[in-house]
Amino acid sequence: MKSVLIRALSYTGGLLIVSFGVTLTILAGLGAGAWDALNVGLANSTRFSVGNWVIFVGMILIIINALLTKSKPVIHSLITILILGYFIDFWLIFVFNDSLFSGMGLQVVILLIGIVVLAFGASIYMQAEFALIPIDAFMFAIRHVLGVNLMIAKTIGELVALIAAFIVGGPIGIGTVFVTFLIGPLIQFFFPRVGKRLDWKAAQE
């Protein structure tokens, strides 16, 4: 029972933290992370929200991940992207009202905090081993196909998204570069350390 509680808290709490980190990187106004720049760019050119596009892009990635790993689509990942999409819209629309931060110093601080929060949240929710965000599942799929570590796999995934974001006119800037090249190493740093703290398998014993 204890292990189930730890997994549930890791999953929902981690996704909430991830969504908050994503929101901060967007509102910093220095260029969003590659995947978020893609979602923002698509949202700016359609009637759908950023959170909606998180869900739509996630659905596409579920299919791509299945093809890369030659396995069945992880349908329950839909739960993950639905939660994340609605959390992001909650922060962006209802809490911050889509208001960008101003002042270069503050923007840089908000961006860096957002990156750290995002990586930390991802490292938490992945410990639950329930359903990965399709973006993170894409990272693991790349690792599986190419045989590289998490840091390199994440960076490759970010570069793929960066190209797509550029095509749709997403908010790309210096912040995008920071997110692209810092998020992988930060997840590589946080993941094993968070795992030691949230050892739900040990809780079963």
Side-chain angles (χ1 to χ4, degrees):
M1 188 66 183
K2 182 180 178 181
S3 65
V4 174
L5 178 61
I6 293 175
R7 291 181 68 188
L9 290 175
S10 298
Y11 177 68
T12 55
L15 287 178
L16 179 60
I17 294 172
V18 167
S19 67
F20 185 62
V22 167
T23 300
L24 291 181
T25 59
I26 292 173
L27 297 182
L30 296 175
W35 291 104
D36 304 311
L38 173 60
N39 293 324
V40 172
L42 290 168
N44 288 339
S45 59
T46 65
R47 62 185 180 86
F48 297 105
S49 68
V50 175
N52 289 155
W53 278 108
V54 168
I55 296 170
F56 299 152
V57 171
M59 291 178 177
I60 295 172
L61 282 177
I62 288 174
I63 297 174
I64 293 175
N65 293 338
L67 293 175
L68 287 176
T69 59
K70 298 179 181 179
S71 59
K72 294 181 179 179
V74 184
I75 301 300
H76 54 283
S77 285
L78 290 173
I79 300 174
T80 306
I81 56 175
L82 285 171
I83 293 175
L84 186 61
Y86 285 120
F87 273 159
I88 289 175
D89 276 349
F90 168 74
W91 292 116
L92 280 175
I93 300 172
F94 297 104
V95 176
F96 292 103
N97 195 28
D98 288 323
S99 300
L100 295 176
F101 289 95
S102 59
M104 180 59 71
L106 178 60
Q107 288 175 284
V108 171
V109 170
I110 294 299
L111 173 68
L112 293 177
I113 291 175
I115 293 172
V116 173
V117 169
L118 199 169
F120 180 63
S123 298
I124 292 176
Y125 99 86
M126 284 191 289
Q127 301 295 331
E129 297 183 2
F130 172 58
L132 293 174
I133 298 172
I135 291 173
D136 293 323
F138 186 49
M139 171 182 67
F140 282 104
I142 292 174
R143 185 181 70 169
H144 171 77
V145 172
L146 301 181
V148 296
N149 63 29
L150 284 178
M151 179 178 68
I152 295 176
K154 182 65 175 179
T155 301
I156 292 173
E158 293 292 314
L159 290 174
V160 169
L162 181 61
I163 295 172
F166 178 77
I167 293 173
V168 301
I172 298 173
I174 187 63
T176 309
V177 177
F178 276 96
V179 175
T180 300
F181 291 101
L182 287 180
I183 197 70
L186 283 171
I187 289 178
Q188 187 79 10
F189 172 80
F190 282 126
F191 192 79
R193 290 165 176 80
V194 171
K196 292 179 181 179
R197 297 288 183 178
L198 299 174
D199 192 354
W200 60 267
K201 291 180 180 179
Q204 291 179 309
E205 299 176 356

